[in-house]
Amino acid sequence: AVLRARVDSRAMTTTMSCDDTAQVVVRLDDDAPWMSKASTSEGDESVEMGENTDSDANELGRRARVEECVRDILHGLGEDVAREGLLDTPKRVAKALTFAMRGYGASATAALGTALFHEENLASANASVSESADALANGTHDIVLVRDIPVFSTCAKTFMPFYGVIHVGYVPKDGVIVGLSKLARVAEVYARRLQTPSALTMDVAQALHDVASPLGVGVAFTGMQLGPFAPRRLEGRASTGCFATTNSVWWHEFQAMVALGGEPSDLSRGVWGDMCGVCDDGANADAAFVVNTASASDGAEAAVDATATQAANDTNEAVYNGVLRLLCTLDLNTRVHEATGGKMTAEDTARRFSSLLAAMRSGNLVPFSRIEKSARGDARDASLMKSDFVDGEVRVMSDLHMSTVCEHHLLPFHGTVSVAYCSTTAVTLSRDTLQALVSRHSRRLQVQERLTRDVAEEVYALTGGVGVMVAARAAHLCMVSRGVEKPGSSTCTVTKLGRFACEPKLRSEVWERLI
């Protein structure tokens, strides 16, 4: 008999049919990190097994518990887990976490070991060059560097995703070189674990050093981490051998070779450019997610930020407990300790992630009346009449920052929003008011299409209902960090109301201004 089972987070149904061959077919979205079977591809999600073992049942049960943890977290945040946008979110999050943690089931050193090659000419050249301290200090030997390897990982301290590029360089010894694709493979294996930028670069450097035995390895990471306020820059660097010496000339040459490759990858500086200063992954790594309300102005955006900070400080214990159970169910409770060098526990990470979730949903706590109050203050500020105009009647405000969370996968997306509006009155909205309005909608579980329209409708109400056009562009982590892995992709949406909906020439003039 053939047993065909379809596993669903809400129900389990089984259909039976007859055949000459005994077989069990279980359909899964993907292997979980705790599963021993090889991972399935994004396109083919069927896994065939010779028999239905107790281990398989345990694995499926654990996946169901992961989904239940996600439901509890959403419920603790005050979300309606039965509404359409969130109905399958627990299943999608379980699948995304499976992909994000799959590096624990792979061996980076084994991958490297199958791609070591002996280059005779290089070996002869190396033999003629001394490996003395002076030769190494002068940077005499050849360097191999692979630039801009895309990586997507999960922060061990906050459980938030971060992404960017890794540059891997090494100095071959005795003519031994490494297959270039394997360097990317090693970066992928270690990125698909709980990490920090420094730990990620050290893992890659040490693996290459242990297997290929080069004279030295240098690895550098630059990228971004997303949160409730704005993306923040992350950097990490690790070295072994000759790269590890003080004032190493090797790093200078490393950086020159990176620059030789041309402009930095978009992934290394955020898809839409830097939005904040450089941050490391030290003890205060999450400081960029907290607003100092004591020094904030009295503007509308400051008030929205203060609401987010207060929400982070008032984390619901049900959310925290759900996150902690999620980490434990994924067998990540000990991994946090390993990835942070013993500096943090799963409880610490669960607390931080819970706070960030609360902050990222705090827009629900900001009433529209707060934005209206700011708009009334704008009407009394004559200096605002110096805003950008199109033909003297349309006001344009571009590049308002947006950082939010996709409600389908609980993964961040970030980018910019531009607003154009016209009014029969002297209504002019300040950047502060418009930024507060965008942040009010960004800090909630969202989809970009809804966010764009919601912002447009509120601007329409504030400006007298004459005409509004809102354009948003964003990079979605669900597009670049999961199975589809399209790091160069972005999403653009536009909503047109009033005059902008029926006057193509007016829209064209605004597009020319924005582009």
Side-chain angles (χ1 to χ4, degrees):
V2 175
L3 172 64
R4 300 191 178 277
R6 178 175 294 274
V7 181
D8 186 87
S9 61
R10 291 157 289 177
M12 182 178 293
T13 60
T14 305
T15 60
M16 300 289 294
S17 63
C18 295
D19 202 345
D20 295 332
T21 306
Q23 185 182 24
V24 176
V25 179
V26 179
R27 184 169 181 87
L28 302 173
D29 286 317
D30 210 341
D31 280 339
W34 52 83
M35 291 185 178
S36 59
K37 302 285 189 293
S39 296
T40 61
S41 67
E42 185 76 10
D44 181 6
E45 299 175 341
S46 294
V47 179
E48 294 194 1
M49 296 175 286
E51 58 183 3
N52 187 14
T53 65
D54 291 340
S55 176
D56 297 330
N58 290 337
E59 290 164 351
L60 295 176
R62 184 151 18 180
R63 161 159 272 183
R65 291 196 297 275
V66 169
E67 296 180 13
E68 190 61 33
C69 289
V70 176
R71 287 191 194 89
D72 290 345
I73 292 169
L74 291 171
H75 185 73
L77 288 169
E79 294 289 344
D80 177 7
V81 296
R83 70 177 173 87
E84 181 183 1
L86 293 178
L87 192 60
D88 288 328
T89 293
K91 183 179 180 179
R92 297 188 190 100
V93 172
K95 182 177 180 179
L97 288 174
T98 293
F99 195 82
M101 297 296 122
R102 68 178 184 172
Y104 286 117
S107 170
T109 55
L112 280 172
T114 62
L116 297 180
F117 306 96
H118 189 263
E119 183 63 38
E120 288 293 343
N121 290 344
L122 185 58
S124 299
N126 285 348
S128 65
V129 178
S130 169
E131 294 183 10
S132 65
D134 288 341
L136 291 176
N138 290 329
T140 306
H141 299 77
D142 295 354
I143 299 179
V144 178
L145 182 136
V146 178
R147 193 189 102 140
D148 285 346
I149 300 172
V151 291
F152 308 90
S153 193
T154 305
C155 178
K157 297 182 178 182
T158 64
F159 208 52
M160 292 291 291
F162 65 91
Y163 70 96
V165 295
I166 273 187
H167 313 302
V168 181
Y170 71 98
V171 181
K173 180 180 180 181
D174 299 330
V176 176
I177 61 174
V178 180
L180 300 181
S181 65
K182 298 303 180 182
L183 298 179
R185 170 61 177 160
V186 170
E188 168 75 6
V189 167
Y190 284 116
R192 298 304 181 183
R193 305 178 180 186
L194 289 181
Q195 285 289 4
T196 66
S198 294
L200 175 59
T201 54
M202 180 51 71
D203 283 344
V204 173
Q206 196 62 55
L208 179 55
H209 190 90
D210 290 345
V211 175
S213 301
L215 294 176
V217 179
V219 180
F221 168 86
T222 58
M224 310 291 287
Q225 184 168 32
L226 305 185
F229 298 105
R232 67 189 184 105
R233 183 82 173 271
L234 293 178
E235 294 183 349
R237 196 170 88 167
S239 54
T240 69
C242 59
F243 277 91
T245 58
T246 304
N247 298 322
S248 173
V249 297
W250 298 100
W251 273 115
H252 177 75
E253 196 157 358
F254 180 102
Q255 292 164 352
M257 293 174 73
V258 169
L260 183 64
E263 290 296 319
S265 164
D266 283 341
L267 287 175
S268 69
R269 53 187 174 85
V271 172
W272 307 119
D274 294 340
M275 291 186 176
C276 59
V278 177
C279 303
D280 59 25
D281 60 329
N284 296 319
D286 58 345
F289 295 130
V290 179
V291 172
N292 183 359
T293 55
S295 61
S297 67
D298 294 330
E301 173 66 359
V304 176
D305 285 346
T307 300
T309 301
Q310 186 61 47
N313 293 333
D314 297 337
T315 303
N316 188 313
E317 286 301 307
V319 177
Y320 164 76
N321 290 330
V323 174
L324 184 58
R325 284 193 295 108
L326 176 64
L327 293 175
C328 293
T329 302
L330 290 169
D331 294 331
L332 297 178
N333 45 322
T334 58
R335 302 292 191 184
V336 172
H337 194 263
E338 295 170 2
T340 61
K343 296 179 180 179
M344 292 187 64
T345 65
E347 289 80 4
D348 298 326
T349 298
R351 184 67 66 185
R352 289 188 179 189
F353 185 56
S354 301
S355 294
L356 291 172
L357 285 176
M360 288 187 290
R361 195 183 170 278
S362 62
N364 295 290
L365 305 175
V366 179
F368 182 54
S369 59
R370 181 63 185 86
I371 308 299
E372 290 178 309
K373 177 182 178 182
S374 180
R376 288 194 295 271
D378 294 342
R380 297 189 294 270
D381 189 348
S383 66
L384 294 177
M385 294 306 294
K386 298 179 181 179
S387 302
D388 287 344
F389 287 86
V390 176
D391 287 344
E393 60 176 342
V394 178
R395 296 164 177 83
V396 179
M397 191 70 72
S398 61
D399 295 332
L400 301 160
H401 69 78
M402 168 184 64
S403 186
T404 186
V405 177
C406 172
E407 69 176 28
H408 296 156
H409 301 92
L410 298 189
L411 287 170
F413 63 93
H414 73 111
T416 61
V417 173
S418 296
V419 176
Y421 61 94
C422 48
S423 174
T424 56
T425 65
V427 174
T428 302
L429 302 177
S430 66
R431 173 170 286 273
D432 179 70
T433 297
L434 289 171
Q435 182 60 71
L437 192 155
V438 171
S439 295
R440 175 176 180 267
H441 288 286
S442 297
R443 290 175 193 157
R444 59 185 73 188
L445 301 186
Q446 272 290 9
V447 295
Q448 185 174 329
E449 297 87 344
R450 182 199 306 145
L451 184 150
T452 307
R453 176 155 288 274
D454 286 349
V455 169
E457 289 178 349
E458 291 197 353
V459 174
Y460 196 62
L462 291 173
T463 56
V466 178
V468 169
M469 175 174 162
V470 173
R473 57 179 185 173
H476 291 245
L477 262 291
C478 63
M479 284 290 291
V480 298
S481 66
R482 295 166 54 249
V484 291
E485 293 188 282
K486 302 299 181 185
S489 66
S490 61
T491 301
C492 298
T493 50
V494 62
T495 294
K496 300 153 288 187
L497 303 175
R499 287 183 58 191
F500 286 99
C502 56
E503 297 184 29
K505 184 176 182 297
L506 191 61
R507 293 199 303 269
S508 179
E509 291 171 348
V510 172
W511 282 122
E512 289 177 6
R513 165 74 70 173
L514 296 178
I515 295 172

